[in-house]
Structure formats: structure tokens, C-alpha cells
Amino acid sequence: MIGSLLYLTASRPDILFRVCLWARFQSNPKESHLFAVKRIFKYLAYTPTLGLWYSRDSSFDLHSYSDADFGGYKVNRKSTSGSCQYLGSMLVSWFSKKQNSVALSTTEADYIAVGSCCAQVLWQKQQLVDHGICVKNVSIKCNNTSSIYLAKNPVHHSRTKHIDIRYHFLRKHVESGDIVLEYIPTEKQVADIFTKPLDENSFSKFRRELGLCEFE
């Protein structure tokens, strides 16, 4: 069941967080996990005509959203990273992934998430270059101001010494102008749909912003 749902997430990003969450229990599933997975199938049964819309008039303006749910995974308190990338108004990639280590602060969790998002953006920039499209100063929208300040500040103060050095490549690309970190309010953070459970109104709003709409 999880394998089938993972295949479907390639065209239905609205179920990605839930599918990835319950996939963590595949080795030792309980009845509650089976019930939760069946709820995903029930949701799909009620939204069979929902799909991504790609407009021919959209621009090639590459931008991205990045977010993290600090300590949201109750089993071992690891955070979940989520991000999505757009070309104009078209959603082109998305991911939701549990972080490898336990973050000690919201700053660290979001900084790691933005680092992963940056790596994805750099790969997409290269793909565009291969097609003759040059993109600079790609915007990554984050709702954690501390992460943005950390990426711009070369001084390692005491609160950030524990962050692994491999994530500080983000600062290099900010300084070189490859990416630009921008603050966005939480209520407008589309990547929230990939990191945590949402109420019905927020879920429906972000689902529309992903470009999912009904096809008759």
C-alpha cells in the first residue's frame, strides 16, 4: 500500500507528507498505522479528479519555499524538512524528508532544511543552463529569520557551533548570489504542507497554491 502511494506522490504532492510519515513504520506496522494509510486512500477516492495544472503562459522564474517542523516526529524528536520549487506558477519538484540528526533549535532545523532546498535549486539551475536558460538570485522563501541571518552572518556564535559544517555551504551560495533568502510569514509558507499536519482550511489553501485543481 505504501509503495503504491509513494508512486502516486509523483503527481499528487498533497499526500506526500502523510505517505512519507507512515512509510517510516513499514518494518513494524501496527493496526493504527494501517487505519491511517486507509484514510489516505479514502481521501484519494473523494478527490479522483485532482491534478497539477501546467500553463503554457507561465514564466521561467525559478523560486522555492523551504520549511521544517522542529522536533515534530514524536518517536525520536527528529525534525522534518520540506520544500517545493516553482518555475513561474508551475510546481516542478517537491520533497518531505526526516532529518538525519536531532536538531537542537528551530534555527538549526530550518537551516538544514534550507540547505537541502539550496542543493535542489542549484541542480535545477544547472538543468536550465543545459537548455540555454540562465537564472541568478533564485529566491528561497523561509519563515525563520534566524536561519536567514545565520546564512548572511560569517560569525559562528555559540548557538550555531553544533550545526554540521556540511550545511554551511548555504552561506557560500548566498554570498556568491546564486540564491537569495527571503522571509515569508508562516501563514503564506506553502512548504508547511510537506512538514506537518494542517487544519482543513490551511491544507486546502496550500493545496491550491501547489497548483492542484479539479479536472472534469
Side-chain angles (χ1 to χ4, degrees):
M1 294 169 70
I2 289 293
S4 299
L5 290 172
L6 285 171
Y7 180 79
L8 187 59
T9 58
S11 59
R12 289 292 298 267
D14 52 324
I15 65 171
L16 180 62
F17 169 70
R18 285 295 183 181
V19 174
C20 291
L21 175 63
W22 302 123
R24 300 170 188 174
F25 300 96
Q26 285 186 94
S27 59
N28 187 26
K30 298 180 180 179
E31 188 173 351
S32 59
H33 301 140
L34 178 62
F35 177 76
V37 172
K38 285 183 177 179
R39 287 189 64 184
I40 301 176
F41 280 100
K42 185 177 180 180
Y43 165 73
L44 292 171
Y46 279 99
T47 57
T49 59
L50 204 62
L52 288 169
W53 171 255
Y54 294 97
S55 171
R56 68 171 66 182
D57 300 324
S58 181
S59 68
F60 282 89
D61 176 32
L62 180 63
H63 60 282
S64 180
Y65 294 84
S66 174
D67 191 34
D69 180 27
F70 174 55
Y73 186 45
K74 299 295 191 291
V75 175
N76 54 18
R77 286 300 179 180
K78 289 184 177 180
S79 303
T80 300
S81 298
S83 80
C84 52
Q85 288 75 39
Y86 289 81
L87 276 178
S89 60
M90 302 181 296
L91 183 68
V92 292
S93 69
W94 52 92
F95 80 83
S96 175
K97 183 180 179 182
K98 181 176 66 175
Q99 294 182 1
N100 294 328
S101 58
V102 178
L104 302 181
S105 65
T106 55
T107 299
E108 180 182 2
D110 278 287
Y111 193 74
I112 292 173
V114 175
S116 299
C117 180
C118 177
Q120 180 70 10
V121 166
L122 293 175
W123 178 81
Q124 290 176 336
K125 283 185 63 177
Q126 185 57 50
Q127 295 298 306
L128 290 173
V129 169
D130 292 343
H131 289 83
I133 302 172
C134 183
V135 180
K136 293 184 178 180
N137 299 320
V138 178
S139 170
I140 297 180
K141 299 176 176 65
C142 173
N143 61 354
N144 187 294
T145 54
S146 296
S147 298
I148 296 174
Y149 294 148
L150 177 59
K152 296 178 180 179
N153 185 359
V155 178
H156 286 239
H157 46 77
S158 59
R159 290 189 302 168
T160 62
K161 287 181 179 178
H162 57 277
I163 299 179
D164 197 297
I165 192 65
R166 69 180 179 274
Y167 297 113
H168 288 298
F169 87 102
L170 175 65
R171 181 180 301 142
K172 169 190 172 185
H173 292 289
V174 170
E175 293 174 347
S176 64
D178 292 327
I179 63 168
V180 176
L181 297 183
E182 296 181 8
Y183 174 76
I184 188 171
T186 301
E187 59 270 16
K188 296 181 180 180
Q189 178 55 274
V190 180
D192 262 359
I193 199 172
F194 301 119
T195 62
K196 59 180 74 70
L198 300 171
D199 60 78
E200 184 177 356
N201 290 334
S202 297
F203 180 81
S204 298
K205 181 182 73 172
F206 290 145
R207 186 177 67 183
R208 288 193 300 271
E209 293 187 16
L210 289 176
L212 286 162
C213 56
E214 296 283 348
F215 291 94
E216 297 298 335

